[in-house]
Structures are given as structure tokens and as C-alpha cells.
């Protein structure tokens, strides 16, 4: 006996998606639950795979099973395949496990030939309908099975309709018959074959064509882009036809059980009267909203609405359905989970939970954390987008949409912004000294750099739209312009960016503000009830801290003190400190910075009243704070009244071949302890000051880039010494922690030693990834995207944590650290803290919290909750 290759719809169910494909499992499940579905059968995905294994032949036994199943259809429908007196016609529909639009269309009305067409005309007393069905069949079979260019058919049809003078429904039986004959001539010419008259030959060829389509160019490309395995195979559904083109009491349509863009609970969809197949999607005529059906065919609508609800209840989710009405009788042809926007996903999940269809945990799981990105940022007005043309596309580096006048210089950006102008900063790439321009801009656009380039990281931190690495852009600082192809945008011209898609548009496009709905708040509160891991934010200034708190951050996991160095005039004092030759000079400069830092910290502490604030001591290499071109160096020297040549030599001497591994992190504070001392004093004086105001302050001082315990120790002692002094002076004691970042492999390996001193760890997974993988993210742009494309690496390790490698260091570091200090608090503050997949991993490793940019806090909260639900499921 041969294998079972064919399942009647009544033999399958929803669980059989692998074997029957999504469409086959869907129609089987509907059949099983009593929804009206035209009878049919599914040829399994295994049959498709075996077809290839045996050299593009039908597997043994398949054809016999198809014939047997056709007999069953004949019994169920009372019609006979190929019988002119009462012809059975079928649809042949492909359907893989995952929907693959555009891979292979459906052949309708199969089984028609000269004889059955005439039979159908007599039987239905509707020659026009028969001719229309035949015309469609020849066209679809010619295009899909025989591979004739569909344009040629469309051209004939368009001609017959007088190029839009008439509609398809205006064509008479005679005209349609003539068109079908012309089609057959085209087929003869292009494919070199006669149109097959034998229905079983038609069926055999159509099934083989579906199998072949699995390995067509379009399908392979689609799978590559969407990461769908080539080994799945497609199912083939053969189903008796129902006809939406039998007159004005017939129709075909598609609908969602709820609105897929807003989540509104009313049925949302469109239908076309007297139409068949893809007419709605193809836009042959303008379809009518489904609400019209309620007026024109109230009983059919009522039945449809009941089935829609029933399907939703059954699948516990919104369904996207296809249906056809044949002379007033409703038939369902497809059901699947409906794709939806982020906003709709939230509303639908919350509504379904309120309706008791799903529980809260399921609601929390239903929303893709990535989809929240859409909700938290302004978007381009969907209406305006419809008619806009995209100039070029770069990397979607930081979501949100914004418009502004193009500027190419950070100083200019600041200047214009101060006069109330909206600007978009366009650079080849950005550097730390561009920071003020980035702050001033509505959005940032770079021609170079990846998802973790300076521009991308800083923009995400500020929640500002950024498109990075738009390689087609030719930026000219000399001309103050950027061009793509023949389009040039000059300084002052308006541009619009969509940082969520990477699209760039010329001109100002209207944007719409996100509204954080009550549903959103409710869903997040459910997530908070469920999750066990904390979520903090990376925030450097009070304003960011406030935003973070509104988004639900439970503290600050990383304040990069150096970001405060660029604001206003203080960069001058910082430069003075760096250029100092003696400790005294350095102290003098530091004394200017201290009160500024103190007031920054006070602001942060106030914003985070009651919550912990982790402040990192100075981290970046010093040359990042210095100007590099001669002109700027001269200006700086003039400001300090110094000799420009000496300043230049000093700047030169600070240049590093490999700054990432150079004089930075705790190395700075060890060689220049006065820097750490100043920062510690600013922190504790700020803490004392706000404490006096009644703020509940929890400072945590964090030493970066430690590799050896002997590096941490002196810094820790210094911080504690300063704390003691400040507290003694003030007569106030404030509890605080001293900890370290774990961002070098050696630190992870010796975490047990380090935890002897450190009261907390925060994994700096950006540097840990760089140092563990031995690649610099500033230089990885040339090969890393290609690595990901060629699947040498599954993901960009700077976006999603490399679990096997870097992740192991995180796990080991955590375990070793806690072996010394069981109550060690462990968090992470790299870019990965806002990446859902990484958040799940950190939960599994048992971290106390993740810290991410303010706008990603809700995403991390949701991902952490989903991770906790995953645990609960595994435990069952
Ligand atoms: P796709 O995967 O592209 O949606 P389908 O197999 O669902 O392809 O078919 C597309 C359309 O063809 C359906 O929406 C429906 O209008 C029509 N169709 C499919 N099967 C039948 C059938 N048995 N009877 C009538 N129309 C059908
Ligand atoms: Mg289609
Ligand atoms: Mg479909």
C-alpha cells in the first residue's frame, strides 16, 4: 500500500499545518466545525517533497488517491467531473505552512472545456456566466500552469473593454467566448501547445504546476527574505467551485473579523458583486465595504457575521477570511490569523481578554514587542504616504518619523534650531562632537554606518528618528547638499525620514503623534504583573529620565556622564582638563566641571525619586572630546590663550590606533584619579543636596572596563573615601553601592574575584561583544551585513546577543559573581537590553534587570513578561 498523500477536508484539522499547509488545515478545521466550505481535498506537503525526491514525478499512489478523492467530491456535490450534463468544476489552490503571497496563484473553474462549458450554460440557463467562467479558466491556466505572460491576456481584455470604457461585467457571452478563443491562440503561440480538453489532464498539469511553483524563483526569493525553510514543501488544495459570478445575487469578498489597522471590533472587509477569485484584490472594479452587504443581503450578512465570530472564538484570534456568495448562499473559502498593526495588536489582545476569549497571559503573548515601536513614535500620516515616492532607503536605525530642513553641519543645526526651525541633520556619519547638532535636529540621516553606529545609538537613546547607512546618498559638505540619482537636496530643502522603515522622502510630510491608549496601559500592567525581571533605562539627562519613568522604567541602569560634557560651554572646561600638563592644572579645570555635573546628577536623582540610579564614571578615550581639524584647534588655542602648535602636538599625542582598546574606561581614572574623585564628589554632593529636599535617592557608582580586580579596587576605595568625606561634611549618610561593568572577557572569567569588591555587575554587552568576538563595531560595517546575509552569523551580534558565545560569558560571569556574593545584583546595559530576543535570554540567565533606551522600556517590559510566561509553560 502506498503512503497517504491525500486528505479529504473532513479528515484534517487545524493541528495539521505542517502536513496540509496553512490553507488546507484552515479549510479542514472549518469543515470539521460545520462552517459551510465547498468540499475538497488536500495533497500533502510530503507529496510535494517526494515529487522532488523522485525527479519531478508524482509519487507512487498519488494519482490513484487523487482520482478516488475526485469520486468522493462527485458524490458530495452530485456533479461529475467532465460531464457536460452536470459538470463538476474545481479550484486548484496552493498552500504552504506559511502564507507566501505571490508565490503561486489559484486556478479556478478547472474542468471546463468546449463541452462542459456548453453544458454549464444550459444547466444554469446563463450563457454569459459559463462564458465568463471559461474565459477566466483559460486565462488562469494559460498563465499559471502553462507559463504564458499574463500581460498578453490582460491586453486583449483591456482592448475588449475599450480601455476602461466598459467594465468586465458589461462583456457579453459572445464577446467572452471570442476572448477565450483569442487566449487559446496566444497559448498556442507562446507555449506551443493546444489547450487541454481532458479535465483529468488539466488537473494533473495543475497539480504538477503547484509543486513546481514551490521551487520557482519568486518562491525561493520570498523564502530567503522571510527565513522560511526550503524543506517545508507546499500543499495542493483541490476544491469544488462555488461561483460568485452568477449574477447580482452572487459575490466574492475578503474580510477581517476586526479592523486590522485600528483593532476596532467591527467586521472589516470588502466584496464585489458578480465577481470571482482575485477580482477584489486585483481591483478590477471598486469593491464595496462589507457594511453594504448588511443592507443588500441581510440574511447572508447575518450568517457571515455569526461565522466570523464563531471562527474568532474557535481560534481565539482575529481571522482573515475569504468568502463567496453563490446565488444567495454563503461559502467560506479560507481562514487564517489576520496580520495587524502594532496599535491593532494591542487593542485586539486587550479586547479579547476582556471578552474572555483569551486570558491575560495570552494577551501579553499576542503582541510582538517589536510592534510596539510603531506605537511609541510619531508616524508619517498614512494618507500622505499613499501618494509619496521614496527617495532612497537606508537602515531603520531609530524609529519614528520627522521632517525638517536639510542641514549638513551640527553647528548650523543648533543655530537654526535655536531660531525655531525644524532641521534634519545629514552627515556621512556622526561623531561625538556632532552631539549638539543631533540634539538640535528632529532627525538624523547618515550615508554610512550600521544599526549600532554612533548616529544610531545616540538617536535611539534620544528617541529621535534616524536612518543610517543610506548608501545611495552622496553627501557633499562642500556643496552643502546630498544627492540620490538625479535628485539633489540642498541646505534648507525639506526632507522627511521614517526611521522605522529606513525610508527617505523629499519634502515635508505630515506626521501623526502616537497616542498611548488605555489599552496599551492595561496590557503593560498585565505584563508587569507577570514579569520577574526588572527594567531600567539608559538615560543621561533629567529629561530622558522623566520619559523613561513615564514608560515604566524602574531606575536608571546607565548614566553616561560624558554625554553631559558636550552640553553648552562645558566642553571648553573638559578640553582644558584634557590638555592640562600638570595635576594642578587638571584639578583647576575639573573644579569648573564639578558643579555642572552635580546639578545634572541632582536633576537625575529628582526625576528618579525612590528608584536606583547607576552612574558610570568617565569611559570614552579622551581624544573624542578634542577637535581634530587645524581650524578648530587654532580656535581652541586662542580661547585658552595657548600656543596652537603646542595644542596640536597634544591632540596628536592623544591619537590612538585602536581607541576601543586604548586609554579609556577605568584606565583613565586610575592614571588620573582626580577625574574619578571629582565625579564621585559631584555624585555624593548631589545625593546629599536632593536628600535635603526630601528626595529618596539611591546612587550606584559604576566603574567601567575593569579586567582585573586590582583595577577595580583602587577606584572603589577612592569612591568610598570621597563618599565618607562628603557625608561627614554634610552630616548625612546615604546608602549607595559601588559596582562595575563586566565588558571584558577577563572580567567575566574572574567574576568571582571581582564580586569580592563589586556590589553589583552590569554587563556592557556592546563592548563585551566587541572584545569577545574580536571585532570593532565601528569597522564591522564592511563585512558584518554580508555575514548576516550569508548566514555565517544568524543575526547582527550587536543587535541580538550572541547567546552561544557572549551569552555564555554573561551566564558564567553571573554564576561566578554570585558564588562569591549571593545577593549580587546583576543587570545589563548594552543595546541588547531593548532587543526582545536578548531580553528573553537575560531572563533565562537570571539577571535582575535589563536597562535600555527610554523608548524601548515598554518593549523590554513586554519581552520580559513573555519570557516569564515561557518559563511557566516549560515547567508544566
Ligand atoms: P491566495 O492564496 O492567493 O489567496 P486562494 O487559493 O485563496 O489564493 O484563492 C484566491 C481566490 O480564489 C479566493 O479568494 C477565492 O475568491 C477564489 N477561490 C478559491 N477557491 C475557490 C473555490 N473553491 N470556489 C470559488 N472561488 C474560489
Ligand atoms: Mg492571491
Ligand atoms: Mg486566499
Amino acid at each position: 500500500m502506498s503512503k497517504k498523500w491525500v486528505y479529504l477536508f473532513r479528515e484534517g484539522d487545524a493541528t495539521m499545518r505542517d502536513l496540509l499547509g496553512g490553507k488546507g488545515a484552515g479549510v479542514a478545521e472549518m469543515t470539521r466545525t460545520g462552517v459551510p466550505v465547498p468540499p475538497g481535498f488536500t495533497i500533502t506537503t510530503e507529496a510535494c517533497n517526494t515529487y522532488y525526491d523522485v525527479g519531478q514525478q508524482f509519487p507512487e499512489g498519488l494519482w490513484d488517491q487523487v482520482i478516488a478523492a475526485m469520486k468522493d467530491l462527485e458524490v458530495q456535490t452530485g456533479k461529475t467531473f467532465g460531464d457536460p450534463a452536470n459538470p463538476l468544476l474545481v479550484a486548484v489552490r496552493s498552500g504552504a505552512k506559511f502564507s507566501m503571497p505571490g508565490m503561486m496563484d489559484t486556478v479556478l473553474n478547472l474542468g471546463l472545456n468546449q463541452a462542459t462549458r456548453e453544458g454549464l450554460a444550459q444547466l444554469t440557463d446563463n450563457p454569459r456566466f459559463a462564458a465568463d467562467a471559461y474565459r477566466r479558466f483559460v486565462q488562469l491556466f494559460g498563465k499559471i500552469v502553462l507559463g504564458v505572460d499574463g500581460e498578453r491576456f490582460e491586453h486583449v481584455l483591456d482592448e475588449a473593454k475599450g480601455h476602461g470604457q466598459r467594465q468586465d461585467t458589461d462583456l457579453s457571452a459572445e464577446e467572452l467566448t471570442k476572448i477565450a478563443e483569442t487566449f487559446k491562440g496566444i497559448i498556442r503561440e507562446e507555449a506551443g501547445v493546444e489547450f487541454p480538453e481532458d479535465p483529468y489532464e488539466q488537473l494533473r498539469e495543475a497539480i504538477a504546476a503547484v509543486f513546481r511553483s514551490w521551487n520557482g524563483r519568486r518562491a525561493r526569493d520570498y523564502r530567503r527574505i522571510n527565513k522560511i525553510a526550503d524543506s517545508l514543501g507546499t500543499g495542493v488544495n483541490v476544491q469544488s467551485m462555488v461561483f460568485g459570478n452568477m449574477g447580482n445575487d452572487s459575490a466574492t469578498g475578503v474580510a477581517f473579523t476586526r479592523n486590522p489597522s485600528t483593532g476596532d471590533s467591527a467586521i472589516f472587509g470588502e466584496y464585489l458583486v458578480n465577481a470571482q477569485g482575485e477580482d477584489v484584490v486585483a481591483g478590477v472594479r471598486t469593491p464595496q465595504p462589507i457594511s453594504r452587504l448588511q443592507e443588500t443581503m441581510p440574511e447572508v450578512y447575518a450568517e457571515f457575521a455569526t461565522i466570523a465570530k464563531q471562527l474568532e472564538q474557535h481560534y481565539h484570534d482575529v481571522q482573515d477570511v475569504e468568502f463567496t456568495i453563490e446565488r444567495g448562499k454563503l461559502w467560506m473559502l479560507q481562514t487564517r490569523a489576520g496580520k495587524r498593526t502594532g496599535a491593532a495588536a494591542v487593542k485586539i489582545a486587550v479586547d479579547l481578554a476582556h471578552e474572555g476569549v483569551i486570558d491575560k497571559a495570552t494577551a501579553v503573548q499576542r503582541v510582538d514587542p517589536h510592534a510596539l515601536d510603531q506605537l511609541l513614535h510619531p508616524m508619517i500620516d498614512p494618507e500622505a504616504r499613499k501618494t509619496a515616492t521614496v527617495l532612497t532607503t537606508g537602515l531603520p536605525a531609530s524609529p519614528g518619523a520627522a521632517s525638517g530642513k536639510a542641514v549638513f553641519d551640527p553647528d548650523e543645526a543648533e543655530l537654526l534650531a535655536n531660531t525655531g526651525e525644524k532641521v534634519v541633520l545629514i552627515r556621512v556619519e556622526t561623531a561625538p562632537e556632532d552631539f549638539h547638532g543631533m540634539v538640535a535636529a528632529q532627525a538624523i540621516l547618515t550615508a554610512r554606518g550600521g544599526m549600532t553606529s554612533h548616529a544610531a545609538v545616540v538617536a535611539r537613546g534620544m528617541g529621535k528618528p534616524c536612518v543610517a547607512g543610506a548608501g545611495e546618498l552622496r553627501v557633499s559638505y562642500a556643496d552643502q547638499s546630498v544627492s540620490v540619482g538625479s535628485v539633489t537636496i540642498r541646505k534648507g530643502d525639506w526632507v522627511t525620514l521614517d526611521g522605522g522603515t529606513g525610508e527617505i522622502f523629499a519634502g515635508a510630510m505630515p506626521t501623526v503623534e502616537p497616542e498611548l491608549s488605555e489599552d496599551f496601559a492595561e496590557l503593560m500592567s498585565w505584563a508587569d504583573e507577570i514579569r520577574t525581571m526588572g527594567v531600567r533605562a539608559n538615560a543621561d539627562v533629567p529629561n530622558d529620565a522623566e520619559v523613561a519613568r513615564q514608560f515604566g522604567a524602574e531606575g536608571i541602569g546607565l548614566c553616561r556622564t560624558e554625554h553631559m560634557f558636550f552640553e553648552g560651554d562645558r566642553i571648553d572646561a573638559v578640553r582644558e582638563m584634557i590638555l592640562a600638563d600638570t595635576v594642578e592644572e587638571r584639578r583647576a579645570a575639573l573644579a569648573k566641571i564639578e558643579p555642572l555635573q552635580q546639578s545634572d546628577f541632582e536633576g537625575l536623582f529628582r526625576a528618579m525619586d525612590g528608584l536606583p540610579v547607576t552612574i558610570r564614571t568617565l569611559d570614552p578615550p579622551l581624544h573624542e572630546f578634542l577637535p581634530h581639524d587645524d581650524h578648530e584647534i587654532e580656535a581652541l588655542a586662542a580661547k585658552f590663550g595657548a600656543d596652537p602648535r603646542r595644542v596640536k602636538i597634544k591632540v596628536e599625542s592623544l591619537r590612538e590606533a585602536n581607541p576601543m582598546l586604548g586609554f579609556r574606561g577605568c584606565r583613565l581614572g586610575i592614571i588620573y584619579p582626580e577625574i574619578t574623585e571629582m565625579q564621585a564628589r559631584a555624585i555624593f554632593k548631589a545625593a546629599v543636596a536632593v536628600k535635603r529636599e526630601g528626595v529618596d535617592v539611591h546612587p550606584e557608582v559604576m566603574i567601567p572596563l575593569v579586567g582585573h580586580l586590582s583595577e577595580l579596587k583602587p577606584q572603589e576605595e577612592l569612591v568610598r573615601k570621597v563618599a565618607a568625606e562628603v557625608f561627614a561634611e554634610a552630616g548625612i549618610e546615604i546608602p549607595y553601592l559601588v559596582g562595575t561593568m563586566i565588558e571584558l572577557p577577563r572580567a567575566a572569567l574572574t567574576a568571582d574575584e571581582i564580586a569580592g569588591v563589586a556590589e553589583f555587575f552590569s554587563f556592557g554587552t556592546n563592548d563585551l561583544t566587541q572584545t569577545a568576538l574580536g571585532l570593532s563595531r565601528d569597522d564591522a560595517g564592511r563585512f558584518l551585513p554580508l555575514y548576516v546575509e550569508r548566514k555565517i552569523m544568524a543575526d547582527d551580534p550587536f543587535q541580538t546577543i550572541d547567546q552561544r558565545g557572549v551569552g555564555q560569558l554573561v551566564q558564567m560571569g553571573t554564576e561566578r559573581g554570585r558564588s562569591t556574593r549571593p545577593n549580587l545584583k546583576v543587570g545589563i546595559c548594552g543595546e541588547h537590553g531593548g532587543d526582545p530576543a536578548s531580553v528573553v535570554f537575560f531572563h533565562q540567565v537570571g539577571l535582575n534587570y535589563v536597562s535600555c533606551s527610554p523608548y524601548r522600556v515598554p518593549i523590554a517590559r513586554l519581552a520580559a513578561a513573555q519570557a516569564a510566561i515561557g518559563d511557566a509553560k516549560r515547567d508544566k
Side-chain angles (χ1 to χ4, degrees), residues 13-184:
D13 65 48
T15 62
M16 296 166 74
R17 280 180 63 129
D18 286 333
L19 189 63
L20 303 180
K23 201 180 282 168
V27 285
E29 184 72 15
M30 286 197 288
T31 304
R32 214 175 57 82
T33 53
V35 172
V37 175
F41 58 88
T42 304
I43 300 169
T44 64
T45 55
E46 280 176 4
C48 171
N49 287 332
T50 310
Y51 170 85
Y52 283 105
D53 291 345
V54 298
Q56 308 214 11
Q57 305 255 314
F58 275 15
E60 219 237 283
L62 170 60
W63 187 240
D64 291 340
Q65 292 180 27
V66 167
I67 291 172
M70 287 300 288
K71 298 291 169 217
D72 187 276
L73 289 197
E74 291 181 345
V75 172
Q76 287 193 67
T77 57
K79 300 174 183 177
T80 307
F81 198 48
D83 178 7
N86 190 10
L88 169 66
L89 303 185
V90 294
V92 177
R93 319 169 63 190
S94 71
K97 178 171 183 187
F98 302 106
S99 127
M100 295 174 56
M103 175 181 107
M104 149 98 199
D105 296 303
T106 294
V107 182
L108 301 179
N109 310 332
L110 188 138
L112 280 177
N113 53 27
Q114 302 283 12
T116 51
R117 189 199 69 200
E118 276 161 30
L120 191 66
Q122 278 182 17
L123 188 76
T124 57
D125 196 20
N126 190 341
R128 194 206 165 268
F129 155 67
D132 184 50
Y134 189 59
R135 184 277 296 175
R136 289 170 187 272
F137 172 51
V138 175
Q139 184 172 353
L140 287 169
F141 193 92
K143 179 177 158 203
I144 292 160
V145 181
L146 301 175
V148 175
D149 177 9
E151 282 296 309
R152 293 204 57 185
F153 299 131
E154 289 299 340
H155 184 76
V156 173
L157 206 53
D158 189 48
E159 197 113 287
K161 290 194 279 187
H163 308 288
Q165 299 277 308
R166 299 194 298 160
Q167 294 196 326
D168 61 326
T169 38
D170 298 331
L171 298 171
S172 69
E174 290 69 35
E175 285 172 301
L176 288 164
T177 307
K178 227 180 94 200
I179 291 170
E181 289 311 311
T182 314
F183 284 178
K184 282 155 87 177

Side-chain angles (χ1 to χ4, degrees), residues 164 171 189 199 201 295 315 364 408 420 444 463 593 652 717 787 800 834 860:
L171 298 171
E189 218 177 279
E201 187 186 334
E295 294 158 27
Y315 281 101
V364 164
F408 299 85
I444 297 133
I593 305 170
E652 271 309 313
E717 281 167 358
Y787 264 39
T800 295

Side-chain angles (χ1 to χ4, degrees), residues 23 93 278 322 334 336:
K23 201 180 282 168
R93 319 169 63 190
E278 302 278 90
E322 298 176 3
Q334 189 171 337
R336 61 182 164 201

Side-chain angles (χ1 to χ4, degrees), residues 7 53 87 104 124 178 266 354 480 637 675-676 679 682 695 704 759 822 852:
Y7 286 76
D53 291 345
M104 149 98 199
T124 57
K178 227 180 94 200
H354 284 163
Q480 299 274 292
I675 297 180
T676 306
Q679 293 200 297
V695 172
E759 292 174 302
C852 56

Side-chain angles (χ1 to χ4, degrees), residues 330-343:
L330 174 69
W331 296 95
M332 300 302 292
L333 295 174
Q334 189 171 337
T335 190
R336 61 182 164 201
K339 291 225 161 36
R340 62 207 83 168
T341 63

